[in-house]
Amino acid sequence: MVNWAQMYDCRLGVDRVPELLALVEREDDAEAWTDLGYRLILEHDLPSMAGLAALPRLVRLAGGSTKARHLAGAIMERAASHHDGDDLLAGSAAVIVEFGVLLDRHLQSRPADYLLTFRALLAVKEQYHWANVLGDFTDDFYELPCPHCAAEVTIAIGGYGRYAAIRDWDLGDTDRRELRPSPAEELSGVGRWMYEIAVRDGEDLLADGISIFSARPSVRPVPVSSPSRTSTRLRTAPSCGSTGWRWPLPHPCPLKGSPLPCRLRDDTSRCRVGKFTE
């Protein structure tokens, strides 16, 4: 039984969240859902104690409510953040498992919100890194340290190309190596699980992108002119000349103390999980 008197929301209140939950349980009230979103997750980043306490009730609504499913998924994606609600999460273990079953069933219907649902399922599986960084691979850029020399490596997957490169402020993408997907039989662990889910659901572009993260760049560099997407250029160290990067590669967020990874795309000043890198 939740003691709501101790469950502060993001506006430091304890009374409003139970009232809003009761309201949305009775009817689909758009304003109530908006208010819940602001109170349960701070700045789209940190779940409040009230948000963690509300998770079981949101999951009960999620089967028939897109808003409830999305809000519960957003809370789960941020469950690795700094908060004092570990006991609340542990007490909701059975509900979280139930939520995972619901999300997986929803994925198989090939919904319009497939990526959002997939990321929520990753969070349920405690794959918080990928729950926060995974894109749809239509135009994605990932910054990863080379496992051999720690030089910053840019991985591009999408319409802009499929390659690994060292990104230079003045020269653009240098030492460019084309990427190719790994055969499915070479995938393992969470990468294989992600790939198999995407293939099962006919999400070929997503599956292809996941398999590329197990790819090796080609041995011969491919010359490339400076990219037009100057907003994504970063200063990096020279390449060590390694011919292979293997997925998964760790990429801690530049913000000290943050448990969440950073996915830079189009704007070098903002971390894609909602925090600034400068």
Side-chain angles (χ1 to χ4, degrees), residues 9 165 182 214 222 230:
D9 62 33
S182 289
S214 287
V222 178
T230 56

Side-chain angles (χ1 to χ4, degrees), residues 198-220:
V199 169
R200 179 199 69 184
D201 299 335
E203 295 289 330
D204 297 335
L205 186 62
L206 184 61
D208 197 40
I210 291 168
S211 67
I212 286 175
F213 268 103
S214 287
R216 290 184 180 273
S218 58
V219 176
R220 296 178 61 85

Side-chain angles (χ1 to χ4, degrees), residues 10 68 89 108 128:
C10 296
L89 284 173
Q108 294 179 63
Y128 299 114

Side-chain angles (χ1 to χ4, degrees), residues 211-269:
S211 67
I212 286 175
F213 268 103
S214 287
R216 290 184 180 273
S218 58
V219 176
R220 296 178 61 85
V222 178
V224 61
S225 59
S226 297
S228 60
R229 192 181 300 274
T230 56
S231 61
T232 60
R233 294 181 184 176
L234 303 173
R235 292 189 181 276
T236 59
S239 170
C240 69
S242 168
T243 60
W245 292 282
R246 300 294 291 180
W247 181 92
L249 298 176
H251 178 42
C253 183
L255 289 174
K256 292 181 180 180
S258 171
L260 297 177
C262 176
R263 172 170 174 258
L264 298 177
R265 178 182 176 187
D266 296 333
D267 180 1
T268 58
S269 68

